Amino acid sequence: MKAVILAGGLGTRISEETHLKPKPMVEIGGKPILWHIMKIYSSHGINDFIICLGYKGYLIKEYFANYFLHMSDVTFDMKTNSMEVHQQHAEPWRVTLVETGEATMTGGRLKRVSPYLDGEEAFCFTYGDGVSDVNIRELVDFHKGHGGLATLTATYPPARFGALDIQSDQRITSFKEKPKGDGGMINGGFFVLSPKVVDFIDGDSTPWEHAPLETLATLGKLFAYEHTGFWQPMDTLRDKHLLEDLWASGKAPWRIWE
């Protein structure tokens, strides 16, 4: 099974990092968040990836072109102009990098990679800026069982702000982190889709989250896989620091491959 990952956006809300690199290349624990997402899929047996490139996509190409250099010890012999790679380590990944345009919307990017999905019964699809401990195998099985064209992972937004009870004299009588799930469930990405969904995308200017998903919902072809575990996007620098702290603690919930 293949997994398509969106990796072409500008990431303007985390511009402190993305003025130099595409958002999926922002590092958590010394590895791009894109690597973390791919490791999540790989831990569930999905190792064939299609990456939708856009903004500064060449940096993603260079990362995978030099993957051994990133993951292994290397000796450079300047006299003989040679390189020796020690303790070679790499995941069993097949990675197809597709230029889908800098200004293309999310739906347009998916439509552009559709030729690489020929012959697939279903495929995974997600954003290149969020991690989760979602069970991909169960998600895929759920999709295959309902007979629809699309499944999205429904989750609760993470807590972001402290909730205060403030009295008339401005005294705070209680403080607690905004509870998880205080509102409705949201689109957490981690889709499983039939290639037929591409027919609902007009072109480059179509956001996946608007007309395509709305139409699929109206037709009764869109289903929700409810995930109540960990899910965290990296929208802001605050989110990045949160993910960094979780990784450094050794208790990152999405690190399900070890």
Side-chain angles (χ1 to χ4, degrees):
M1 196 171 194
K2 296 182 178 182
V4 177
I5 304 177
L6 293 171
L10 293 174
T12 54
R13 286 188 288 175
I14 192 171
S15 59
E16 299 91 342
E17 293 271 352
T18 56
H19 72 288
L20 294 174
K21 64 185 74 171
K23 191 177 179 184
M25 293 303 292
V26 174
E27 293 184 351
I28 303 299
K31 300 285 197 309
I33 193 170
L34 176 61
W35 178 89
H36 291 262
I37 295 167
M38 294 170 72
K39 288 288 283 185
I40 293 169
Y41 278 106
S42 187
S43 67
H44 291 283
I46 296 175
N47 295 298
D48 195 341
F49 299 96
I50 300 169
I51 313 296
C52 303
L53 304 181
Y55 173 69
K56 296 185 182 295
Y58 65 91
L59 291 174
I60 299 178
K61 287 182 177 178
E62 289 175 358
Y63 175 76
F64 285 107
N66 298 305
Y67 194 75
F68 269 125
L69 298 183
H70 293 286
M71 302 299 291
S72 307
D73 296 335
V74 184
T75 297
F76 294 99
D77 190 321
M78 301 307 173
K79 184 177 180 180
T80 61
N81 191 27
S82 62
M83 179 184 75
E84 181 182 359
V85 179
H86 307 281
Q87 301 171 351
Q88 295 186 15
H89 172 74
E91 285 72 22
W93 294 345
R94 185 174 188 269
V95 185
T96 302
L97 303 167
V98 184
E99 293 287 354
T100 56
E102 284 207 10
T104 307
M105 296 290 102
T106 50
R109 294 189 192 282
L110 177 55
K111 193 175 185 73
R112 284 207 187 193
V113 303
S114 59
Y116 297 94
L117 298 168
D118 285 347
E120 297 294 311
E121 178 185 351
F123 64 95
C124 293
F125 178 56
T126 197
Y127 306 103
D129 62 355
V131 290
S132 175
D133 60 359
V134 60
N135 189 316
I136 302 294
R137 292 179 189 273
E138 288 186 1
L139 171 62
V140 171
D141 289 343
F142 174 79
H143 173 81
K144 291 179 177 179
H146 62 56
L149 296 179
T151 302
L152 68 75
T153 297
T155 188
Y156 290 108
R160 287 187 180 271
F161 306 103
L164 309 177
D165 285 333
I166 304 177
Q167 302 304 306
S168 58
D169 62 357
Q170 302 304 301
R171 188 179 350 215
I172 296 174
T173 57
S174 75
F175 174 89
K176 62 180 178 179
E177 279 297 300
K178 187 177 180 182
K180 183 177 179 181
D182 62 323
M185 301 189 91
I186 63 170
N187 168 22
F190 292 97
F191 298 89
V192 181
L193 306 173
S194 162
K196 294 178 181 178
V197 302
V198 174
D199 297 337
F200 296 87
I201 302 170
D202 288 336
D204 285 357
S205 62
T206 305
W208 167 245
E209 300 79 12
H210 292 172
L213 283 183
E214 291 166 2
T215 302
L216 286 164
T218 300
L219 295 175
K221 298 296 184 180
L222 175 64
F223 289 78
Y225 173 82
E226 294 191 5
H227 173 64
T228 58
F230 178 84
W231 175 82
Q232 177 66 53
M234 189 184 64
D235 291 330
T236 65
L237 200 58
R238 180 183 187 274
D239 295 332
K240 170 184 159 54
H241 291 158
L242 169 63
L243 293 173
E244 283 274 17
D245 290 344
L246 285 171
W247 185 262
S249 74
K251 299 177 182 178
W254 70 91
R255 189 172 185 166
I256 55 179
W257 53 88
E258 291 180 2

